[in-house]
Amino acid sequence: MRAKFLSAVCFGVLTIGSGVWGMDMEHSHSQAAVATEQTIHATGTVKSIADNHESIRIFHNPIPELRWPSMIMAFDVNDHELTHPLEIGDKVGFDFIQKDGKNIIVRMKKQ
């Protein structure tokens, strides 16, 4: 009787343990997906625009959410129309996401 009781307890612990382990893995994955698709706001100055309007180089101000200092960097643009009204030297506010190792501007407005 005691052996059956211990077997039942061990089985229950293993079953609950696997369920908790699976839930932790699922939860961590969900948080990672949300973090990678977070929209980040920044401001800066246009330094260059690609001829095909698929990317833009901006001297951006510090971005505290990413612990980035001010720097010049290239951003991909999801809608080429965002860059058409811009000229080199324009001050802009923009929102971007980080996806597949790229920084992609999703909104941009001349300031």
Side-chain angles (χ1 to χ4, degrees):
M1 181 71 168
R2 188 172 189 182
K4 286 182 183 180
F5 176 76
L6 287 176
S7 294
V9 169
C10 288
F11 178 77
V13 168
L14 290 174
T15 303
I16 292 170
S18 343
V20 170
W21 176 263
M23 286 178 7
D24 286 345
M25 294 299 286
E26 183 81 37
H27 184 66
S28 296
H29 178 72
S30 297
Q31 285 179 335
V34 170
T36 58
E37 295 180 15
Q38 173 187 3
T39 301
I40 301 158
H41 180 74
T43 58
T45 304
V46 175
K47 292 298 182 181
S48 67
I49 302 168
D51 290 338
N52 60 9
H53 292 268
E54 291 181 357
S55 65
I56 185 170
R57 286 185 34 182
I58 298 175
F59 176 78
H60 67 72
N61 297 316
I63 303 174
E65 297 91 340
L66 299 174
R67 296 183 180 172
W68 287 358
S70 296
M71 68 177 100
I72 296 175
M73 62 183 289
F75 292 86
D76 290 336
V77 181
N78 74 337
D79 178 359
H80 303 168
E81 295 302 315
L82 292 173
T83 59
H84 283 288
L86 301 176
E87 297 178 13
I88 294 171
D90 282 346
K91 305 282 187 211
V92 292
F94 60 100
D95 295 334
F96 69 98
I97 60 171
Q98 295 183 305
K99 187 173 182 179
D100 299 327
K102 297 180 180 182
N103 298 301
I104 305 166
I105 295 178
V106 294
R107 282 182 291 284
M108 185 164 27
K109 185 176 180 180
K110 193 173 174 178
Q111 294 184 325

